[in-house]
Amino acid sequence: LKRLEPGEHAATKAAHRCGAGEVVNALRAQNTNAPVGKVRGSLEEELGLRLFERTTRRVMLTDAGSELLPTALRTLDQLDSTVRLLQATHLKQGEVLKIATSPLLAASLMPTVISQFRSEFPGVRVELLDVPVADVAEAVRSGQADIGVCTSGQEGRDLKSEVIFQDALCVACPEGHALAAMDSVEWSDLVEFPLILLKPSTGLRNLLEKPMQRWAGQFRLEYEVANIHTALGLIGAGLGVSVLPAYSLARAGIQGIV
């Protein structure tokens, strides 16, 4: 196949369209092409057959060349069909975008993002994989997802990451709480109140660990929960305060919590 492709592919295509007689004209047009001539000679040498009668003025198929021509045409057509099939399959697969993200982001930010994306790229189907934040990078690494969106850097050396969204951390407390009347809250202001935090395995907790280290041992950690909705329920019941992303509070829309 490789040896047929440079010059003979064009000639055999011409024969396929117009009959074997057109091979003469197609090859004559390429008869001065040294690389093509070398390929033809190499093919004849490998087969041990003379496929073309050549002079300075004309090129004709030999009997062996005429017998080979139909087989060559079928082979090239099959090759073209296979290439087209592979291209079509690739394009079909390319219309699916798999995104891995944490349950929090999947429930809060991603619906709006996906809606906007689909309006711009209606032909692309989005698959959303909500996994623990610690598993987002591995989902990308293993091929389960094309991209990952998470709240902490997990890229490692084999993955590339970039910041696409920034948000503020804020204190969540019941209405009428002492902290609700303050214009701004410092970490030191939290030491006298029971804290409700997400478990250490969550991405949000990982973000909080470093700034909290300065007051290690002073915070009153009352509850550790797996998701933000649980934390909000406990806050609403007046069982403590928490530090949460602003977008999570805006999306939750729970009355009685500021």
Side-chain angles (χ1 to χ4, degrees), residues 60-76:
M60 295 292 291
L61 286 172
T62 63
D63 290 341
S66 297
E67 292 178 9
L68 177 63
L69 179 60
T71 301
L73 287 172
R74 287 194 300 271
T75 302
L76 291 171

Side-chain angles (χ1 to χ4, degrees), residues 2 12-13 37 58 69 76 79-80 87 106 108-109 121 137 153 157 171-172 212 222 226 244 246-247 256:
K2 190 173 181 181
T12 53
K13 285 297 183 183
R58 59 185 299 181
L69 179 60
L76 291 171
L79 178 61
D80 286 345
Q87 290 173 335
S108 56
L109 288 180
F121 304 95
R157 294 183 178 181
V171 171
M212 290 176 60
E222 195 75 15
L244 300 172
Y247 67 79

Side-chain angles (χ1 to χ4, degrees), residues 14-202:
H16 185 66
R17 293 193 304 269
C18 307
E22 289 297 322
V23 174
V24 175
N25 293 332
L27 285 176
R28 183 178 296 139
Q30 300 178 46
N31 198 35
T32 57
N33 189 323
V36 172
K38 184 176 181 180
V39 169
R40 288 200 302 263
S42 179
L43 176 61
E44 289 179 325
E45 181 180 349
E46 183 170 322
L47 295 176
L49 296 171
R50 193 169 187 181
L51 303 177
F52 306 99
E53 291 286 352
R54 296 178 292 274
T55 68
T56 56
R57 301 181 59 183
R58 59 185 299 181
V59 178
M60 295 292 291
L61 286 172
T62 63
D63 290 341
S66 297
E67 292 178 9
L68 177 63
L69 179 60
T71 301
L73 287 172
R74 287 194 300 271
T75 302
L76 291 171
D77 284 340
Q78 290 173 356
L79 178 61
D80 286 345
S81 298
T82 301
V83 170
R84 286 194 296 270
L85 177 62
L86 289 174
Q87 290 173 335
T89 302
H90 176 73
L91 289 175
K92 184 177 180 180
Q93 292 174 343
E95 292 174 354
V96 178
L97 177 62
K98 300 177 182 179
I99 304 174
T101 189
S102 66
L104 171 60
L105 291 175
S108 56
L109 288 180
M110 293 309 297
T112 301
V113 172
I114 292 174
S115 178
Q116 294 175 350
F117 178 84
R118 291 188 63 180
S119 67
E120 295 183 30
F121 304 95
V124 180
R125 181 165 60 89
V126 177
E127 292 184 1
L128 189 60
L129 180 66
D130 54 340
V131 298
V133 68
D135 296 338
V136 171
E138 184 55 34
V140 177
R141 190 176 289 113
S142 65
Q144 288 181 283
D146 300 308
I147 61 173
V149 181
C150 56
T151 55
S152 59
Q154 305 179 58
E155 69 277 8
R157 294 183 178 181
D158 57 335
L159 298 177
K160 178 183 177 182
S161 69
E162 62 178 295
V163 177
I164 59 174
F165 180 80
Q166 289 184 323
D167 193 28
L169 293 173
C170 60
V171 171
C173 60
E175 287 182 346
H177 193 279
L179 294 175
M182 301 175 65
D183 293 331
S184 62
V185 179
E186 302 292 336
W187 285 101
S188 58
D189 296 327
L190 302 179
V191 297
E192 59 182 294
F193 302 106
L195 273 181
I196 302 167
L197 298 179
L198 269 64
K199 292 182 177 180
S201 60
T202 61

